[in-house]
Amino acid sequence: MNETEKKDWLKAGRITAQAREYGKALIKPGALMLDVVEKIEDKIHKLGAKPAFPVQVSINEIAAHYTPQEQEQSEFRQGDLAKLDVGAHVNGAIGDTALTVNLGTENKELVRASEQALQEAIKLIRAGIEICEIGKVIGSTITSLGFNPIKNLTGHGLGLYEQHAGIQIPNYNNKDNTKLKIGDIIAVEPFATNGTGYIQDGKLSGIYKLENIKTIRDNYSREILPYIIKEYKTLPFAKRWLIKKFGPVKASFALRMLKQQDIIAEYNQLPESNRGLVSQSEHTILIENKPIVTTKE
Ligand code: CO
């Protein structure tokens, strides 16, 4: 990575952290979810970056991949456990960070479990460490507090315009002896639950990602696909973003056609398989001689 790129990674991290803290304060009982995510996405633009993926506010047993739809009227409710997951990019260099907002009086320990697991992981992280060691400390921290780590969700490497690149950082000791090396950029994201510790595919999310570029015939797709390629490249995007730009008729039709032809794929929401409550904490870390947490406050 050259100096310009490094600056971009650090800037993206800083902006993502600012957007996360800004968003955290907006999550209150009675607040419209759509309003909250749009304000956070606007904030990212104002700070000089672009969203690396749609802002997500997965509630209670939904671990990830929930973003409100266009015109959705859902509100945060008293007692909700909201995972706020924010990503921003600068020239493709990404910051990815998450925290859990607890709108109830219970579940404080569950929130602490993912926070503490992340802190313990950060203490260990350095070039040369095996990634199963990171998973081990995440898993044992969470179980020592009486909860389960989610085993089929992982942290991940980050690359330019790539939200999941290369390595996976497990949330338990999966015996993977791959070592971190200088220059790696990773997002570490412990998920803790009072359920069994697995997620499954839930409802469709309205979040999509470009998969294969192919020739298309219908006019709406021919207008919208080049826009997707130029604006988002291989980063996830929201249906509501395209509706804003192209209107509901065109955008919905094109997304349906593009999905049918496997040009884009739609993510599923990820509920915990036993409907357990889920907490999450996440930071992005640049591996250098002294690793840098780019998404710190
Ligand atoms: Co992530």
Side-chain angles (χ1 to χ4, degrees), residues 88-275:
H89 80 89
V90 174
N91 301 317
I94 299 167
D96 187 355
T97 183
L99 51 69
T100 302
V101 179
N102 187 359
L103 296 180
T105 49
E106 290 164 32
N107 306 310
K108 285 183 184 139
E109 285 293 291
L110 178 58
V111 174
R112 200 161 75 87
S114 59
E115 286 173 357
Q116 199 165 317
L118 179 58
Q119 292 316 318
E120 295 302 323
I122 287 170
K123 282 185 206 163
L124 278 190
I125 284 172
R126 57 177 164 76
I129 193 161
E130 294 178 353
I131 59 179
C132 63
E133 288 295 318
I134 304 170
K136 189 173 158 191
V137 77
I138 289 174
S140 67
T141 303
I142 291 171
T143 51
S144 75
L145 290 166
F147 301 101
N148 286 316
I150 294 190
K151 290 187 171 177
N152 57 348
L153 275 177
T154 66
H156 46 94
L158 290 164
L160 285 176
Y161 292 104
E162 276 194 278
Q163 208 226 329
H164 289 93
I167 49 176
Q168 294 192 331
I169 311 296
N171 287 322
Y172 68 106
N173 181 0
N174 68 346
K175 310 274 160 58
D176 185 338
N177 298 118
T178 309
K179 289 177 177 165
L180 291 184
K181 53 185 194 312
I182 303 273
D184 281 345
I185 300 144
I186 57 170
V188 182
E189 47 183 327
F191 289 84
T193 180
N194 58 9
T196 47
Y198 292 92
I199 45 95
Q200 58 191 26
D201 278 343
K203 295 179 195 158
L204 290 170
S205 66
I207 303 170
Y208 299 79
K209 177 181 187 289
L210 183 64
E211 293 281 321
N212 309 289
I213 299 175
K214 292 187 215 162
T215 319
I216 29 157
R217 292 213 174 78
D218 75 274
N219 285 333
Y220 290 169
S221 302
R222 283 165 71 160
E223 184 180 349
I224 289 179
L225 181 59
Y227 180 83
I228 291 171
I229 296 169
K230 180 173 137 290
E231 279 301 308
Y232 314 129
K233 297 196 167 61
T234 47
L235 291 171
F237 58 91
K239 182 178 183 183
R240 58 184 163 77
W241 295 351
L242 290 177
I243 287 180
K244 221 165 227 176
K245 173 83 187 167
F246 297 98
V249 175
K250 263 192 194 182
S252 305
F253 183 84
L255 286 171
R256 197 160 63 241
M257 297 308 285
L258 292 168
K259 187 177 159 183
Q260 241 170 46
Q261 295 168 79
D262 295 320
I263 295 170
I264 58 173
E266 185 170 6
Y267 291 84
N268 289 85
Q269 295 178 22
L270 300 175
E272 209 278 334
S273 56
N274 209 29
R275 297 184 67 83

Side-chain angles (χ1 to χ4, degrees), residues 27-44:
I27 297 179
K28 300 243 165 67
L32 266 187
M33 291 180 186
L34 183 61
D35 223 34
V36 169
V37 300
E38 287 189 328
K39 278 184 179 157
I40 300 170
E41 288 166 0
D42 281 348
K43 187 75 169 180
I44 291 170

